[in-house]
């Protein structure tokens, strides 16, 4: 059985999706969605009426209004658009089990062995286009032996069905951009007169690869069927979202929290059924003026406890601007991770680990999770590199136990940047034992006891400016004033000296 692939081009998807959300699918006036790019507002998508006026994606909003003064606009909502494109790929599974997204916002459907279910290939394409038209989307579709050829015909011709085994004549007259090449390669091909696919197929392969790159030859081979390009549908994950439509608009924080409580119960039940835990949740409040307000939280660990999630949402919900009222709520688990069922106990008291997780979540939602860090032990005998710093939300706490160096000597509870020690007696500066009296940062200390020395040498493969003085002799020093200090001496330095490096408990 010969392989047959359908490619669906949706040239006005961004604009038509926004019109569909706003309930204006039949709008015949010029319409565009805009986005902020490079410090200015640009068109991110236009509808057919705006395209007929000469507007196109990427055009500045000022220029677009000069060409079309009656242009209607709306801000781009990329998250909703991305979710809609993914939903379209799932929707297309009614025509074939192998469906997916192609380059850009196109859809690809593997029609091998499926066309007879719709009365033939022509009828199958007609069914796809009719269904998309019912959704308020302008579409153009083509069917060919390869995904590359179908994409080229859908985007650079009127579409239709290419006869089996007739790929080369079907795409020969199309521009080289139909091969899904990057703009730079298309421009370089045009400079040497290669503007269509047909002369490109007659070029020697070695010369084509040397001058225009392997990618150019690969795209040509994929379109002609010399290199396989299967339809790889993305694995469809269950969606974790719940919504509530309100009979009357609400505006009080307490009312929104009451609705959130009901949504959390339903969402957490769905997460539990699939043994998933939420890492990021987003509450969307739809106002009566069709504007959306969002409240988003993240968790330090995957969770599905409604009460703990509610506590994190409370501050975010208070920041929502209700305007003239909110008439719908939607709660979505934006990102999830596997979370196995846990043993249920009679006690509802949180464990120490749960309390720490809740604290990290609360702080992280205020200052950013990347700013909440923890120290983890590292394999190095150099004190400054005996630990590493990691984000607390994405790492597990480590059991430090009794930290000791390579010789078994204990390490101080806190390590500082080396601070010079002012020795009272000059002879003690070059001595191998700690001085009897010394000053640090203007404070005087008197030696009571000292244990050592523990010699540490710098790692030869690591150039650390603080260790260029050579090996260090470390001493555990007890002072009459009370502090227990970690001092080191640099015997191999040009000017030997004593330094403070940490404090013991």
């Amino acid at each position: 059985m010969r392989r047959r692939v359908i490619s669906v081009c949706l040239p006005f998807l961004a604009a038509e999706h926004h019109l569909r959300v706003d309930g204006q699918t039949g709008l015949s006036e010029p319409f565009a969605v805009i986005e902020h790019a490079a410090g200015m507002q640009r068109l991110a998508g236009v509808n057919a009426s705006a395209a007929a006026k000469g507007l196109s994606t990427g055009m500045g909003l000022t220029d677009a209004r000069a060409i079309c003064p009656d242009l209607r606009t709306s801000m781009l909502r990329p998250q909703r658009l991305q979710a809609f494109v993914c939903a379209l790929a799932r929707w297309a599974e009614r025509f074939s089990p192998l469906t997916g997204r192609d380059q850009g916002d196109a859809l690809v459907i593997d029609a091998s062995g499926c066309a007879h279910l719709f009365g033939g290939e022509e009828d199958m394409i007609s069914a796809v286009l009719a269904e998309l038209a019912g959704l308020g989307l302008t579409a153009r579709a083509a069917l060919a032996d390869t995904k590359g050829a179908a994409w080229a015909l859908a985007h650079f011709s009127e579409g239709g069905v290419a006869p089996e085994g007739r790929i080369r004549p079907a795409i020969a007259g199309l521009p080289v951009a139909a091969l899904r090449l990057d703009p730079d390669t298309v421009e370089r091909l045009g400079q040497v007169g290669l503007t269509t696919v047909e002369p490109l197929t007659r070029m020697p392969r070695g010369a084509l690869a040397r001058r225009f790159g392997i990618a150019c030859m690969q795209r040509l081979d994929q379109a002609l069927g010399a290199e396989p390009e299967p339809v790889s549908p993305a694995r469809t994950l269950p969606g974790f979202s719940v919504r509530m439509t309100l009979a009357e608009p609400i505006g009080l924080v307490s009312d929104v929290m009451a609705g959130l409580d009901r949504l959390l119960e339903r969402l957490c039940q769905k997460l539990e059924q699939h043994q998933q835990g939420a890492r990021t949740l987003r509450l969307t409040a739809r106002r009566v003026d069709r504007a959306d307000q969002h409240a988003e939280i993240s968790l330090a660990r995957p969770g599905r406890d409604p009460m703990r999630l509610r506590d994190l949402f409370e501050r975010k919900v208070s920041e929502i601007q209700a305007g003239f009222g909110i008439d719908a709520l939607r709660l979505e688990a934006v990102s999830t991770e596997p979370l196995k069922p846990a043993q249920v106990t009679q006690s509802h008291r949180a464990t120490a680990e749960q309390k720490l997780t809740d604290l990290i979540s609360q702080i992280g939602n205020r200052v950013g999770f990347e700013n909440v860090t923890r120290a983890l032990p590292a394999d190095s005998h150099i004190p400054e590199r005996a630990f590493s710093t990691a984000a607390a939300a994405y790492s597990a706490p480590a059991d430090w136990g009794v930290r000791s160096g390579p010789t078994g000597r204990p390490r101080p509870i806190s390590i500082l940047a080396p601070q010079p020690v002012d020795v009272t007696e000059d002879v003690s500066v070059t001595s191998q034992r700690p001085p009897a009296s010394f000053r640090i940062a203007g404070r005087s200390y008197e030696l009571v006891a000292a244990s050592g020395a523990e010699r540490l040498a710098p790692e030869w493969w690591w150039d650390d400016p603080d260790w260029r003085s050579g090996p260090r002799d470390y001493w555990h020093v007890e002072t009459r004033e009370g502090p227990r200090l970690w001092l080191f001496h640099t015997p191999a330095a040009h000017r030997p000296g004593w330094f403070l490096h940490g404090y013991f408990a």
Side-chain angles (χ1 to χ4, degrees):
M1 179 179 63
R2 185 179 291 273
R3 183 165 174 261
R4 301 288 277 173
V5 180
I6 297 175
S7 180
V8 183
C9 172
L10 302 164
F12 310 118
L13 176 63
E16 291 177 340
H17 163 65
H18 282 67
L19 290 173
R20 183 174 181 272
V21 171
D22 295 337
Q24 303 181 47
T25 54
L27 181 69
S28 59
E29 302 174 8
F31 175 81
V33 289
I34 58 176
E35 63 178 346
H36 292 281
M40 64 179 298
Q41 291 184 327
R42 296 185 178 274
L43 304 189
V46 298
N47 66 349
S49 300
K53 297 276 189 178
L55 306 186
S56 60
T57 301
M59 181 180 293
L61 179 59
T62 304
D63 296 336
R65 290 200 181 279
I67 297 173
C68 183
D70 58 341
L71 177 67
R72 295 182 56 181
T73 61
S74 176
M75 289 301 300
L76 177 67
R77 288 165 280 189
Q79 294 177 337
R80 283 196 167 191
L81 179 60
Q82 181 74 8
F84 183 66
V85 173
C86 294
L88 274 181
R90 295 195 300 269
W91 164 87
E93 291 178 358
R94 66 184 63 192
F95 300 101
S96 170
L98 294 178
T99 63
R101 296 172 54 187
D102 207 341
Q103 185 169 337
D105 294 327
L107 296 176
V108 58
I109 304 171
D110 193 331
S112 304
C114 300
H116 69 281
L117 301 175
F118 300 89
E121 294 178 343
E122 292 282 359
D123 292 335
M124 184 176 184
I125 284 187
S126 298
V128 172
L129 295 178
E131 292 276 0
L132 289 171
L135 296 175
L137 301 177
T138 302
R140 190 166 57 248
L143 190 149
D145 292 345
T146 65
K147 186 167 73 172
W151 189 93
L153 292 169
H155 286 75
F156 291 88
S157 74
E158 296 300 323
V161 177
E164 292 188 18
R166 303 283 295 171
I167 299 177
R168 188 182 295 263
I171 66 173
L174 300 181
V176 292
L179 296 177
R180 298 173 293 173
L181 302 175
D182 60 89
D184 181 61
T185 302
V186 173
E187 182 179 357
R188 288 191 291 119
L189 287 168
Q191 291 174 352
V192 297
L194 298 173
T195 58
T196 60
V197 175
E198 195 274 332
L200 202 61
T201 60
R202 294 187 279 105
M203 281 192 65
R205 295 177 57 82
L208 181 65
R210 283 194 304 270
R211 186 157 187 178
F212 303 105
I214 297 294
C216 179
M217 185 176 63
Q218 181 184 33
R219 286 302 194 186
L220 179 62
D221 288 344
Q222 288 174 344
L224 297 178
E227 180 174 333
E229 188 181 11
V231 176
S232 301
R235 179 172 171 261
T236 302
L237 297 176
F240 298 104
S241 64
V242 291
R243 61 170 299 165
M244 174 190 300
T245 302
L246 305 172
E248 294 290 339
I250 61 175
L252 298 178
V253 173
S254 58
D255 293 338
V256 177
M257 292 301 296
L260 176 63
D261 290 338
R262 297 172 61 181
L263 293 177
L264 282 172
E265 288 289 344
R266 292 162 51 194
L267 180 64
C268 290
Q269 289 177 4
K270 185 180 292 188
L271 290 170
E272 186 175 7
Q273 290 174 1
H274 293 84
Q275 296 189 15
Q276 293 285 312
R279 284 299 295 257
T280 303
L281 295 103
R282 181 188 299 119
L283 175 67
T284 302
R286 170 63 65 86
R287 302 194 316 196
V288 294
D289 60 356
R290 314 297 290 182
D292 289 343
Q293 294 285 303
H294 301 285
E296 185 169 304
I297 64 168
S298 297
L299 285 79
R301 292 288 182 272
R304 53 172 179 258
D305 186 336
M307 293 304 297
R308 288 192 170 87
L309 299 179
R310 184 189 193 279
D311 293 340
L312 294 175
F313 264 116
E314 197 160 7
R315 175 174 169 269
K316 298 285 187 177
V317 169
S318 65
E319 299 174 356
I320 290 180
Q321 300 295 326
F324 294 104
I326 296 170
D327 59 7
L329 296 173
R330 183 175 186 270
L331 181 63
E332 177 187 8
V334 179
S335 63
T336 62
E337 293 181 8
L339 181 62
K340 295 182 179 180
Q343 179 68 38
V344 178
T345 62
Q346 296 295 330
S347 175
H348 295 283
R349 298 177 61 183
T351 64
E353 182 179 356
Q354 290 172 338
K355 291 179 180 179
L356 177 60
T357 299
D358 292 344
L359 177 62
I360 295 174
S361 298
Q362 291 172 1
I363 298 176
N365 280 289
R366 287 175 176 263
V367 302
F369 282 90
E370 69 280 1
N371 297 318
V372 184
T373 61
R374 64 160 49 100
L376 300 175
D379 187 13
S380 177
H381 69 275
I382 300 299
E384 298 91 330
R385 291 196 287 276
F387 66 92
S388 61
T389 303
Y394 303 101
S395 61
D399 183 11
W400 287 78
V402 179
R403 297 294 295 168
S404 60
T407 60
R409 294 182 180 271
R411 288 288 182 256
I413 193 172
S414 62
I415 294 180
L416 313 173
Q419 300 181 15
V421 175
D422 296 329
V423 179
T424 305
E425 300 178 7
D426 294 339
V427 67
S428 296
V429 175
T430 58
S431 173
Q432 298 301 310
R433 293 192 58 81
S437 60
F438 52 90
R439 295 173 62 86
I440 301 175
R443 184 176 180 182
S444 299
Y445 297 92
E446 187 175 344
L447 179 68
V448 174
S451 62
E454 178 188 6
R455 173 157 291 191
L456 297 180
E459 297 166 336
W460 59 267
W461 62 88
W462 195 287
D463 183 20
D464 190 339
D466 292 335
W467 281 79
R468 290 175 182 171
S469 57
R472 299 175 179 177
D473 291 337
Y474 280 87
W475 291 80
H476 182 179
V477 172
E478 296 186 15
T479 64
R480 190 174 303 279
E481 289 72 18
R484 304 169 63 203
L485 311 177
W486 204 37
L487 305 182
F488 69 84
H489 182 243
T490 55
H494 177 65
R495 299 182 61 182
W498 287 90
F499 298 86
L500 170 67
H501 205 181
Y503 289 93
F504 288 95

